[in-house]
Amino acid sequence: MEQERMLQILFSLENASVIETVVIPNARGRTTVCVSSQVGCAMNCQFCFTGRMGLRKHLSTAEIVEQAVFARKLFSDEFGSITNVVFMGMGEPLHNVDNVIKASAIMVDEQGLQFSPRKVTVSTSGLVPQIKRFLHESKCDLAVSLNATTDEVRNWIMPINRKYNLNLLLGTLREELRLRRKSIVLFEYVMLAEVNDSMDDAKRLTELVHGISCKINLISFNPHSGSQFKPTPDEKIIEFRNILIQSGLTVMVRLSRGDDQMAACGQLGEPGDYQLPLLRVPDKFQVAL
Ligand code: SF4
């Protein structure tokens, strides 16, 4: 697969913190800007570089919108216009839900940036009350980082699951999306070797999302410094994908891009001297790391 370059923009804020925005052109003429919603992140997902920073600041509505405005100005000549916005940069967007709902509204407003609501996607690690609020108040699309098919694994790699477990998260989505008929959710699934990539995981995943209008995005893990996880080999990702497809799911596969310049999902930011602690690895996964 041809590797396309991703472009990073660094913004310096008044308090001297730095946020990162990434512009991702693709071969089909789509150019996506990936915006940050916080400096750092409180969620401490174990596979995420940004998560090691802890939360340093919620971005204001203006600081979020400005990233898309600036990317549009800077890159429109080189790549054609920016076609999509994803809230998948630094931070858990729904932890900063007031500003993210306002910023996404400005992005789709006729007096604002005029993106179609289907071209603006807000991602979350699974904050259930905020998901409900977002689905009620925003016209934009939702993506959920799932990344595991059992509470045992998700409690470890995404500690937010200890508060809002898989059953609650998926039950809420099933119910809320049924009410909003036309909406579908994008499930993101970062493939971690020997942790969440077995064929049993693939089968469980098909059962978990049953009855939810969705697409699934399988993402190759980008190893970063200090990371304890390894990427699933590409052939195994394809095998995993085939099981999902056989059960009728719509699946996309994103093999790694941008890992050469620390600008891929879960790789933004600079943890610095202070880092959140890594959690204890469950015994049965010790050998996988
Ligand atoms: S994956 Fe997202 S929610 Fe989890 S720590 Fe990283 S930035 Fe935060």
Side-chain angles (χ1 to χ4, degrees), residues 37-38 40-54 87-93 95 123-127 145 147 157-160 190 265-268 276:
S37 54
Q38 297 176 315
C41 181
M43 298 298 128
N44 199 17
C45 299
Q46 297 292 286
F47 52 85
C48 174
F49 195 68
T50 310
R52 304 299 311 283
M53 296 172 68
F87 286 66
M88 296 181 188
M90 292 169 75
E92 158 54 64
H95 190 204
S123 179
T124 180
S125 58
L127 301 178
S145 262
N147 305 328
I157 65 173
M158 299 185 73
I160 190 65
V190 177
C265 182
Q267 296 204 351
L268 302 182
L276 290 184

Side-chain angles (χ1 to χ4, degrees), residues 5-7 22-26 30-34 86 257:
R5 282 189 73 73
M6 305 163 94
L7 300 136
V22 182
V23 179
I24 313 160
N26 83 1
R30 193 173 73 185
T31 300
T32 301
V33 59
C34 175
V86 293
R257 293 192 299 168

Side-chain angles (χ1 to χ4, degrees), residues 189-208:
Y189 197 97
V190 177
M191 305 284 297
L192 306 171
E194 307 300 328
V195 171
N196 65 2
D197 64 349
S198 71
M199 297 310 119
D200 283 344
D201 280 304
K203 286 176 199 145
R204 268 195 300 271
L205 184 52
T206 65
E207 288 157 19
L208 283 173

